[in-house]
């Protein structure tokens, strides 16, 4: 590769005919772009709209997995530290995302089958919430990981998607599934809060029927709320590493109305769920500590000893399950949440802070990983669930052995 072409990925434009190779003083032939510390003038009519990612004019063949690996090897010593991180993340993703898809689909299916067909020692109400969460995660793995991120990495093999005018429909389904996955976690947290902290309301709310109504309502509202993506995005795929995986017009990109709508979307998912989960868990912990101290004092005063609380022992695993699921959600979603809010604030003109492109890529990796971890959480915290999964996996082998012995 010609040395003059080795430049920062975030400001790449391969169609510029002449370049000044003086370490960042390139003449881009754009009249008003300010490249000082990434504070570009976004009003330039010919700017690249993907916030510092590769220019859309890069040939298709140059965006395959082999491109990332060959470019990293060839250009390593000419890259900045940020470029090296971006390249490394893309090389890792080329192997990590397919592996995550291979693992994510079967583990969520196994979770759904185990919870619905076997006795895992959980109430029917809790089982419904866990099944819904696994179903939401499965849809996110299919719609987001398999049908969005993997085609972006292996663009050369998925060029046929560019001829399918369904991207805006895909966006509606994807964001609706993501909202369901997130808000199912919130509803489960609220159900456990009521069960632990509100004994008078527990008998009415923590039931199989109530869980079905709540989950159905969340699903319908999530679908209705995300219809606006159909009108905001084009029906053409862009297959680019950017927050919007469909083509989007400049009028939408810089429109205050659409910017406000999308900003509210990012606030509603996952910022509001973050706050609710933290508050509900804080109230739950406070109630547990207060009731536990009161029970210990009462038992010690009446019997002169401090025996174990059987009620707390019976609820211990359920409480651990709640806290681990909540912590997993918060940790794996926080990076993408921060970047999603920042990018919209940036387009609105608040540019006091700069987040590099690799923050978004890393956030996507963590968020997609969260869709494949709940099965492991259930297996670690729930003995009955772990045993039933083992039995389910053994069932085909035992059936074959029984047939052979006959």
């Amino acid at each position: 590769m010609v040395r003059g072409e080795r430049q920062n990925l975030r400001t790449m434009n391969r169609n510029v005919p002449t370049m000044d190779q003086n370490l960042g003083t390139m003449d881009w032939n754009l009249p008003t772009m300010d490249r000082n510390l990434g504070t570009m003038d976004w009003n330039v009519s010919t700017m690249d709209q993907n916030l510092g990612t590769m220019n859309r004019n890069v040939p298709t063949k140059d965006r395959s997995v082999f491109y990332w690996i060959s470019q990293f090897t060839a250009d390593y010593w000419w890259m900045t530290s940020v470029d090296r991180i971006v390249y490394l993340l893309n090389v890792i993703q080329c192997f990590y995302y397919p592996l995550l898809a291979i693992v994510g689909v079967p583990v969520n299916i196994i979770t759904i089958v185990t919870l619905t067909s076997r006795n895992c020692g959980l109430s029917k109400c809790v089982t419904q919430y866990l099944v819904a969460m696994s179903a939401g995660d499965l849809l996110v793995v299919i719609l987001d990981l398999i049908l969005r991120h993997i085609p972006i990495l292996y663009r050369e093999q998925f060029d046929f998607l560019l001829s399918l005018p369904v991207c805006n429909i895909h966006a509606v389904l994807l964001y609706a599934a993501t909202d369901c996955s997130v808000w199912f976690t919130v509803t489960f947290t609220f159900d456990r809060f009521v069960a632990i902290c509100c004994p008078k309301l527990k008998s009415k709310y923590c039931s199989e029927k109530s869980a079905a109504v709540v989950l159905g309502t969340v699903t319908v509202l999530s679908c209705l709320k995300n219809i606006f993506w159909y009108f905001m995005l084009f029906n053409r795929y862009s297959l680019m590493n950017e927050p919007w995986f469909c083509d989007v017009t400049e009028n939408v990109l810089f429109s205050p109305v659409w910017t406000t709508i999308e900003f509210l979307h990012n606030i509603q998912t996952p910022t509001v769920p973050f706050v609710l989960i933290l508050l509900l868990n804080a109230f739950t912990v406070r109630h547990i500590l207060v009731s536990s101290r009161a029970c210990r004092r009462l038992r010690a005063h009446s019997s002169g000893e401090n025996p174990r609380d059987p009620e707390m022992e019976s609820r211990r695993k359920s409480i651990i399950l709640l806290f681990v699921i909540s912590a997993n959600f918060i940790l794996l979603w926080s990076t993408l949440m921060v970047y999603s809010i920042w990018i919209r604030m940036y387009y609105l003109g608040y540019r006091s802070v700069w987040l590099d492109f690799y923050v978004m890529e890393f956030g996507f990796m963590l968020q997609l990983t969260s869709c494949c971890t709940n099965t492991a959480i259930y297996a670690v915290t729930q003995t009955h669930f772990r045993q039933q999964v083992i039995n389910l996996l053994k069932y085909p082998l035992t059936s074959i052995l029984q047939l052979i012995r006959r």
Side-chain angles (χ1 to χ4, degrees), residues 290-304:
V290 172
S291 60
S292 178
R293 291 171 185 169
C295 288
R296 282 199 300 266
R297 286 197 300 267
L298 181 61
R299 291 178 180 275
H301 179 74
S302 60
S303 60

Side-chain angles (χ1 to χ4, degrees), residues 244-257:
W244 308 275
F245 64 101
C246 302
D247 279 340
V248 58
T249 64
E250 288 189 17
N251 292 334
V252 169
L253 193 63
F254 297 100
S255 167
V257 175

Side-chain angles (χ1 to χ4, degrees), residues 219-403:
T219 302
V220 172
L221 291 178
S222 296
C223 293
L224 293 176
K225 172 244 178 185
N226 286 285
I227 290 177
F228 80 92
W229 291 104
Y230 181 87
F231 304 99
M232 178 178 175
L233 303 175
F234 277 178
N235 58 8
R236 296 192 304 268
Y237 287 94
S238 65
L239 294 184
M240 293 292 297
N241 280 325
E242 56 189 358
W244 308 275
F245 64 101
C246 302
D247 279 340
V248 58
T249 64
E250 288 189 17
N251 292 334
V252 169
L253 193 63
F254 297 100
S255 167
V257 175
W258 288 112
T259 298
T260 303
I261 292 174
E262 190 180 358
F263 184 76
L264 293 175
H265 165 80
N266 291 326
I267 292 294
Q268 189 264 338
T269 301
T271 307
V272 173
F274 264 53
V275 176
L276 291 176
I277 289 174
L278 288 173
L279 288 176
L280 290 171
N281 281 316
F283 291 145
T284 302
V285 170
R286 180 179 178 277
H287 177 83
I288 291 172
L289 292 176
V290 172
S291 60
S292 178
R293 291 171 185 169
C295 288
R296 282 199 300 266
R297 286 197 300 267
L298 181 61
R299 291 178 180 275
H301 179 74
S302 60
S303 60
E305 55 186 19
N306 189 20
R308 299 173 67 180
D309 187 349
E311 183 181 356
M312 286 302 299
E313 288 295 323
S314 65
R315 295 189 301 181
R316 182 175 60 87
K317 289 186 178 180
S318 178
I319 294 170
I320 292 175
L321 176 64
L322 168 65
F323 291 163
V324 174
I325 289 176
S326 300
N328 175 73
F329 170 77
I330 291 172
L331 290 175
L332 296 182
W333 269 86
S334 57
T335 302
L336 185 60
M337 180 196 72
V338 170
Y339 188 90
S340 297
I341 295 175
W342 170 81
I343 190 172
R344 262 312 176 186
M345 296 294 291
Y346 196 91
Y347 275 116
L348 286 172
Y350 299 96
R351 302 175 182 175
S352 58
V353 178
W354 174 259
L355 295 180
D356 281 297
F357 170 67
Y358 65 82
V359 176
M360 180 188 71
E361 288 296 324
F362 188 63
F364 277 135
M365 292 177 67
L366 292 179
Q367 181 250 324
L368 292 170
T369 302
S370 70
C371 298
C372 306
T373 55
N374 280 346
T375 303
I377 292 173
Y378 304 157
V380 170
T381 60
Q382 304 295 313
T383 305
H384 290 290
F385 177 84
R386 180 169 62 250
Q387 187 59 48
Q388 294 298 337
V389 169
I390 294 173
N391 293 339
L392 181 64
L393 296 176
K394 286 181 178 179
Y395 181 76
L397 180 60
T398 55
S399 299
I400 294 173
L401 291 177
Q402 288 176 0
L403 290 174

Side-chain angles (χ1 to χ4, degrees), residues 13 15-19 26-33 44 46:
N13 192 328
N15 291 330
V16 179
T18 57
M19 295 183 242
M26 304 177 188
D27 178 12
W28 295 101
N29 294 328
L30 296 178
T32 57
M33 181 177 290
V44 180
T46 56

Side-chain angles (χ1 to χ4, degrees), residues 13-59:
N13 192 328
R14 296 178 182 271
N15 291 330
V16 179
T18 57
M19 295 183 242
D20 179 6
Q21 302 179 19
N22 186 19
L23 294 178
T25 60
M26 304 177 188
D27 178 12
W28 295 101
N29 294 328
L30 296 178
T32 57
M33 181 177 290
D34 177 12
R35 297 179 60 252
N36 186 19
L37 296 177
T39 56
M40 303 180 187
D41 180 2
W42 296 102
N43 293 320
V44 180
S45 59
T46 56
M47 57 164 270
D48 185 354
Q49 295 182 24
N50 60 9
L51 195 60
T53 62
M54 295 187 305
N55 185 274
R56 295 180 187 271
N57 295 321
V58 178

